[in-house]
């Protein structure tokens, strides 16, 4: 019953999205008209009130895609094919790859090992819905959604006593505070400080206020009503860096892993509740 | 009764001492600090290697200093002095000297959210627009939604005491210069502030900055109405 209701909402959303996406890159340039903005906010509030999250559709997509791409052999740290609770203990060090990896980077690695993709193909697979609105359903987003939702209810538990993980955590922390690029931003420009501030209408979470980093990262991938698709963590990093006028971010790169280690490591103890929903 | 209390007190002291000793013992061995080069290496390997973008991740000295401290309150005086010194040396003025520009042009630059931003994924290095996206962080005109990260700029010119009568006085020119400096290179007045150094990086030309100054300070601008 619930699935059916979700599907109905999703179809309606896809149609609305189709109408919206005639304006290509509407969301990217922030060109939504005030009327569209108001309609989306109302729809978002309605979904929240009814407890509907279309992001859950991607769970089913991901379940199929895992079989299709042989990812049931993928080892997320608890053994091949063990996905319950696996996302909660990532990032961690993987001896087979000799690297610290977060969930998305590990999935990329598994796609190369078990689905025969090249690195280039993996990157295109990751970015197929980036910058698109409406009815773009990507198998990659599905896989990440499925793997994260398998850890719902578990507490984030990044092992910071592992020296490799700790090293990545420290690098991530330094990057968080690195002033860089033609507009001098760092992550802390927006996401630090004791006092709550807004950019336009958006309230910013802060690393310096207890609990906020946890509530920010524990709901990813997060369904965005205005885009009609879920946003994974590496897509979020990429969007932040584009807004910061930094160069183009490569998903699954060490920068992503370092930031994940710092953010999830700082969020240790927070319960995972994916998918989140946002305006 | 007293004995019990004394015993409890002694045992508390003892446990306190033991816990402290354990804490000291369990403190991890001092980890080797992460070197700046390691961080830069991670950054360099994680961005598009397009040579047109590499200049964006070259940290200058001021950025390097600011990266070391979470906030200005934690900066030593010497570091603050150095950033101010570097920033003041980098301010350029319009060809005709300090002046109040055209507030209508300034308003366009203040409004644009796309300044310095690039077309899309796989973008070109050409910014799609000029502008400062000032409303993201500031409240400027009454009734227009803005952010609260930067200070509120309602009636900014009025607050500086600029009126039609004293518009061309030497005092006003000094005030215009102070605001110009903040917009052109905010770190010259507020070291390591969140505000980008628009003029220093060339996002805004000296003339653009003069126009924005006019938008903020001119008695006829909607900011001061």
């Amino acid at each position: 019953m619930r699935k059916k209701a979700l599907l109905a909402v999703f179809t309606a959303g896809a149609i609305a999205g189709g109408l919206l996406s005639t304006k290509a890159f509407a969301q990217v340039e922030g060109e939504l008209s005030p009327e569209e903005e108001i309609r989306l906010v109302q729809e978002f509030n309605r979904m929240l009130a009814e407890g509907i999250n279309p992001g859950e559709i991607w769970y089913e997509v991901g379940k199929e895609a895992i079989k299709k791409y042989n990812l049931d052999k993928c080892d997320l740290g608890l053994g091949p094919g063990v996905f319950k609770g696996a996302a909660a203990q990532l990032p961690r060090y993987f001896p087979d790859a000799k690297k610290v990896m977060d969930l998305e980077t590990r999935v990329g690695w598994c796609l190369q090992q078990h689905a025969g993709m090249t690195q280039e193909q993996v990157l295109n697979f990751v970015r197929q819905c980036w910058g698109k609105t409406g009815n773009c359903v990507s198998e990659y987003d599905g896989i990440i959604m499925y793997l994260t939702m398998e850890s719902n209810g578990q507490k984030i538990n990044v092992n910071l006593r592992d020296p490799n993980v700790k090293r990545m955590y420290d690098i991530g922390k330094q990057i968080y505070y690195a002033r860089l690029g033609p507009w001098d931003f760092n992550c802390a420009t927006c996401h630090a400080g004791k006092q709550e501030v807004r950019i336009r209408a958006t309230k910013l979470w802060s690393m310096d206020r207890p609990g906020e980093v946890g509530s920010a990262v524990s709901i990813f991938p997060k369904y965005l009503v205005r885009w009609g698709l879920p946003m994974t963590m590496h897509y979020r990093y990429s969007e932040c860096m584009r807004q910061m006028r930094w160069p183009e971010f490569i998903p699954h790169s060490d920068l992503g892993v370092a930031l994940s280690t710092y953010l999830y490591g700082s969020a240790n103890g927070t319960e995972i509740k994916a998918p989140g929903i946002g305006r | 009764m007293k004995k019990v209390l004394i015993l409890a007190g002694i045992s508390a002291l003892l446990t306190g001492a033991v816990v402290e000793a354990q804490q000291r013992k369990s403190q991890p061995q001092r980890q080797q600090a992460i070197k700046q080069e390691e961080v830069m290496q991670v950054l360099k390997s994680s961005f598009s290697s397009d040579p047109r973008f590499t200049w964006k991740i070259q940290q200058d000295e001021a950025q390097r200093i600011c990266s070391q401290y979470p906030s200005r309150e934690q900066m030593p005086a010497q570091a603050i002095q150095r950033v101010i010194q570097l920033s003041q040396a980098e301010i350029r003025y319009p060809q005709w000297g300090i002046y109040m520009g055209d507030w209508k042009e300034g308003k366009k630059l203040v409004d644009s959210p796309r300044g310095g931003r690039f077309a899309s994924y796989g973008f070109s290095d050409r910014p799609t627009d000029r502008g400062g996206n000032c409303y993201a962080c500031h409240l400027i005109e009454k009734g227009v939604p803005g952010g609260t990260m930067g200070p509120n700029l309602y009636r900014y010119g009025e607050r500086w005491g600029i009126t039609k009568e004293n518009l061309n006085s030497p005092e006003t020119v000094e005030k215009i210069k102070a605001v110009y400096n903040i917009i052109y290179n905010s770190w010259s007045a507020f070291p390591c502030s969140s505000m980008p150094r628009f003029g220093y990086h060339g996002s805004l030309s000296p003339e653009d900055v003069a126009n924005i100054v006019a938008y903020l300070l001119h008695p006829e601008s909607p900011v001061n109405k």
Side-chain angles (χ1 to χ4, degrees):
Chain A
M1 187 57 226
R2 195 169 147 70
K3 281 268 142 63
K4 248 188 187 164
L6 269 173
L7 265 173
V9 168
F10 176 66
T11 334
I15 293 166
L19 289 175
L20 274 178
S21 63
T22 45
K23 244 188 177 181
F25 290 102
Q27 99 280 359
V28 166
E29 299 302 348
E31 279 175 341
L32 285 184
S33 72
E35 295 79 41
E36 281 166 326
E37 188 79 43
I38 289 168
R39 192 187 62 75
L40 287 172
V41 170
Q42 284 171 344
E43 188 170 319
F44 165 59
N45 288 338
R46 186 180 61 82
M47 283 178 178
L48 269 191
E50 293 177 9
I52 293 171
N53 188 333
E56 289 172 30
I57 295 286
W58 271 262
Y59 181 87
E60 300 297 329
V61 176
K63 209 171 177 178
E64 294 300 313
I66 296 241
K67 279 184 231 142
K68 185 171 158 192
Y69 293 103
N70 277 331
L71 289 183
D72 29 21
K73 291 184 204 136
C74 185
D75 181 359
L76 294 181
L78 303 180
V82 183
F83 297 145
K84 276 258 174 290
Q89 43 95 50
L90 290 170
R92 63 133 66 199
Y93 180 74
F94 287 95
D96 54 1
K98 297 194 181 62
K99 269 175 101 170
V100 177
M101 290 172 160
D102 64 353
L103 174 63
E104 290 191 49
T105 310
R106 185 62 181 177
V107 167
W109 192 83
C110 281
L111 283 169
Q112 290 187 40
Q113 301 296 314
H114 305 303
M117 285 192 190
T118 64
Q119 199 182 8
E120 200 51 42
Q121 283 169 329
V122 169
L123 292 186
N124 290 335
F125 188 57
V126 172
R127 290 185 288 213
Q128 56 188 305
C129 279
W130 286 22
K132 299 207 169 70
T133 49
N135 30 21
C136 184
V137 178
S138 117
E139 285 173 322
Y140 174 77
D141 292 347
I143 292 167
I144 301 301
M145 183 67 82
Y146 175 84
L147 294 175
T148 316
M149 280 177 74
E150 283 294 284
S151 293
N152 268 350
Q154 305 263 0
K155 284 184 174 154
I156 297 173
N157 181 20
V158 180
N159 181 12
L160 293 176
R161 272 162 308 185
D162 181 326
N164 291 302
V165 178
K166 184 65 174 43
R167 184 176 160 271
M168 227 36 184
Y169 178 92
D170 289 339
I171 292 179
K173 186 172 184 179
Q174 288 220 18
I175 290 172
Y176 198 83
Y177 288 98
R179 304 295 295 260
L180 211 60
W183 277 35
D184 297 314
F185 288 139
N186 60 10
C187 306
T189 305
C190 291
H191 298 294
K194 290 266 180 266
Q195 208 192 338
E196 186 172 281
V197 293
R198 289 184 287 120
I199 306 191
R200 291 270 178 149
T202 309
K203 274 184 195 153
L204 300 166
W205 67 265
S206 164
M207 195 52 126
D208 294 345
R209 294 195 295 269
E212 290 197 6
V213 58
S215 41
V217 299
S218 62
I219 57 167
F220 270 84
K222 179 177 177 184
Y223 181 80
L224 292 189
V225 178
R226 70 182 185 284
W227 295 5
L229 49 84
M231 188 183 215
T232 64
M233 208 63 194
H234 281 232
Y235 189 8
R236 177 69 261 182
Y237 296 151
S238 178
E239 266 302 296
C240 270
M241 287 170 200
R242 197 175 65 85
Q243 302 276 31
M244 290 156 80
R245 280 76 175 170
W246 283 14
E248 193 181 343
F249 168 73
I250 302 171
H252 298 181
S253 56
D254 278 351
L255 172 52
V257 176
L259 280 178
S260 289
T261 313
Y262 181 52
L263 294 179
Y264 284 84
S266 307
N268 265 350
T270 323
E271 201 178 298
I272 294 185
K273 284 181 200 144
I277 186 165
R279 180 174 60 81
Chain B
M1 190 60 212
K2 242 184 193 169
K3 245 183 194 169
V4 176
L5 270 178
I6 291 167
L7 265 176
I10 292 171
S11 64
L13 274 174
L14 275 174
T15 30
V18 170
V19 166
E20 201 176 296
Q22 272 175 349
Q23 271 172 351
R24 228 180 293 138
K25 210 174 164 189
S26 70
Q27 253 178 17
Q29 299 228 315
R30 264 187 86 86
Q31 269 218 326
Q32 282 215 314
I34 304 290
K35 289 198 190 81
Q36 184 73 20
E37 296 85 71
E38 276 182 274
V39 176
M40 290 316 283
Q41 187 48 44
V42 168
L43 283 167
K44 275 185 192 133
S45 67
S46 306
F47 289 122
S48 152
S49 56
D50 191 323
R52 289 172 302 170
F53 302 137
T54 43
W55 65 273
K56 293 185 186 172
I57 48 170
Q58 300 292 332
Q59 269 189 328
D60 67 10
E61 191 185 340
Q63 283 179 332
R64 249 196 321 276
I65 295 172
C66 294
S67 302
Q68 289 166 21
Y69 308 98
S71 72
R72 199 184 313 143
E73 286 70 44
Q74 280 148 283
M75 281 176 78
Q78 217 178 0
I80 291 181
Q81 276 307 318
R82 182 71 185 140
V83 174
I84 292 180
Q85 186 194 353
L86 284 167
S87 305
Q88 279 176 347
E90 290 291 347
I91 298 179
R92 301 281 173 273
Y93 295 102
Q95 202 180 347
W96 313 113
I98 300 283
Y99 68 100
M100 184 111 58
D102 177 354
W103 65 261
K104 284 180 189 134
E105 288 302 312
K107 185 178 162 70
K108 285 183 206 159
L109 295 166
V110 165
D111 280 344
S112 165
R114 292 193 280 169
R117 214 195 254 177
F118 303 92
S120 174
Y121 296 104
F123 38 65
S124 70
D125 199 27
R126 273 226 321 276
T128 51
D129 205 352
R130 275 183 322 167
N133 198 13
C134 309
Y135 274 109
C137 302
H138 296 280
L139 291 156
I140 306 173
E141 254 179 72
K142 260 258 152 62
V144 183
T148 57
M149 203 199 286
N152 177 343
L153 302 178
Y154 288 159
R155 300 186 165 275
Y156 199 52
E158 199 181 274
R159 277 193 262 153
W160 279 84
I162 295 175
T163 61
K164 264 179 202 151
E165 288 71 39
N166 67 16
L167 201 51
N168 295 316
S169 70
E171 293 83 42
T172 303
V173 174
E174 280 308 301
K175 289 167 187 172
I176 292 173
K177 188 175 176 185
V179 176
Y180 180 98
N181 289 350
I182 295 174
I183 300 169
Y184 191 94
N185 190 336
S186 59
W187 292 4
S188 66
F190 308 106
C192 307
S193 148
S194 299
M195 183 159 150
R197 297 172 290 168
F198 290 109
Y200 166 73
H201 289 294
S203 297
L204 299 173
S205 68
E207 288 71 27
D208 290 338
V209 177
N211 289 339
I212 293 177
V213 170
Y215 176 66
L216 292 176
L217 298 183
H218 202 284
E220 273 164 24
S221 149
V223 174
N224 299 307
K225 291 275 179 190

